[in-house]
Amino acid sequence: MLPSVAIVDAELTLTVPPAVTAATGMDALVYAVESYTAIRAGELTDGIALQAIKLISRSIHKAVYNGKDLKAREDMAMGSLLAGISLGNAGVGAVHALAYPLDGKFKVPHSVANSLLLPYVMKYNVVADLEKFAEVLGENIEGLSLRKAADRSVATLAQLSQDVGIPSSLKEVGVTVSDIPALAEEASKVDRLLNNNPRWLTVKEIQKIYEEAYGAVEEPSLA
Ligand SMILES: [Fe+2]
């Protein structure tokens, strides 16, 4: 369902509670990052997605922790709109494919499922397009190799998600280890999205991503 017109008025979001601001703000960031690194991404969507990433990442802390900050709310509203335009044209990928089974059986809100999985899927995806992943959120990347810069993006995103209170492991949202094979099986059927992911993923690889997201085996480090 695509709207003909969108009225984007940040003042209407001033009273959105912190938890909803955090989850929906991270969700918009997921749309921007996934569409920027999608197979179907192109010149037209790249600039839009990068601007969305810039606006959201610079203002999400303020919008969550001081909801009355109109400038931060404006960045979030515009970032969300741009992310939606990028998503509408370039599509999304494996983060969404792995999030869908969580929305259904475990009643995890879509935005939380996406935000929780983003760093884990990204960690897997980076090698498929180091340049783009390095650009996503690489902070202080001067002098770093492309690989290290891409890893820095993953760590920055994981930190951002944690800062605004998004759960960082599947354990926290009620998933058990025995649920993982069925989740992986279900996610592997979402071809529509997996075919747009920068890295081809087998069922085994999807299962491995869920396992890492379950135990937070190895927290991406900022070092
Ligand atoms: Fe979504």
Side-chain angles (χ1 to χ4, degrees):
M1 290 187 289
L2 298 173
S4 312
V5 173
I7 296 169
V8 180
D9 181 352
E11 283 188 32
L12 296 173
T13 67
L14 288 173
T15 54
V16 176
V20 178
T21 303
T24 54
M26 283 302 298
D27 197 25
L29 190 57
V30 171
Y31 287 127
V33 173
E34 277 223 287
S35 61
Y36 181 59
T37 53
I39 301 274
R40 279 173 26 219
E43 296 296 338
L44 276 175
T45 53
D46 280 358
I48 294 172
L50 279 179
Q51 183 65 9
I53 293 167
K54 182 179 151 193
L55 294 177
I56 296 168
S57 61
R58 82 175 176 200
S59 285
I60 191 167
H61 293 84
K62 286 181 188 152
V64 169
Y65 292 109
N66 175 15
K68 299 280 173 244
D69 186 329
L70 185 59
K71 183 76 197 83
R73 291 294 196 179
E74 280 171 357
D75 276 359
M76 295 303 290
M78 187 51 70
S80 168
L81 174 68
L82 294 175
I85 292 170
S86 179
L87 142 81
N89 289 281
V92 285
V95 176
H96 269 77
L98 271 72
Y100 282 147
L102 293 171
D103 299 0
K105 190 176 167 201
F106 296 93
K107 309 269 180 270
V108 183
H110 179 69
S111 52
V112 173
N114 273 339
S115 317
L116 191 161
L117 290 168
L118 177 65
Y120 298 100
V121 174
M122 245 178 100
K123 194 174 150 202
Y124 224 75
N125 277 345
V126 281
V127 286
D129 195 339
L130 289 174
E131 262 179 32
K132 273 199 155 178
F133 281 104
E135 273 172 313
V136 166
L137 263 186
E139 290 176 339
N140 311 319
I141 55 173
E142 243 180 53
L144 289 184
S145 68
L146 216 47
R147 177 64 214 255
K148 283 224 159 75
D151 289 345
R152 185 68 65 89
S153 277
V154 180
T156 304
L157 264 167
Q159 184 67 58
L160 197 69
S161 192
Q162 229 177 347
D163 284 351
V164 297
I166 303 290
S168 62
S169 85
L170 289 178
K171 249 185 249 176
E172 293 170 59
V173 295
V175 174
T176 63
V177 180
S178 58
D179 294 320
I180 291 177
L183 283 171
E185 196 59 45
E186 210 180 314
S188 73
K189 291 179 194 147
V190 194
D191 291 338
R192 175 178 66 87
L193 302 178
L194 292 173
N195 289 339
N196 196 32
N197 193 61
R199 179 173 176 175
W200 177 251
L201 298 174
T202 63
V203 185
K204 267 203 169 136
E205 287 166 328
I206 292 172
Q207 180 159 337
K208 200 166 158 246
I209 295 172
Y210 276 130
E211 281 164 359
E212 288 199 15
Y214 173 81
V217 180
E218 191 188 315
E219 282 291 330
S221 142
L222 278 170

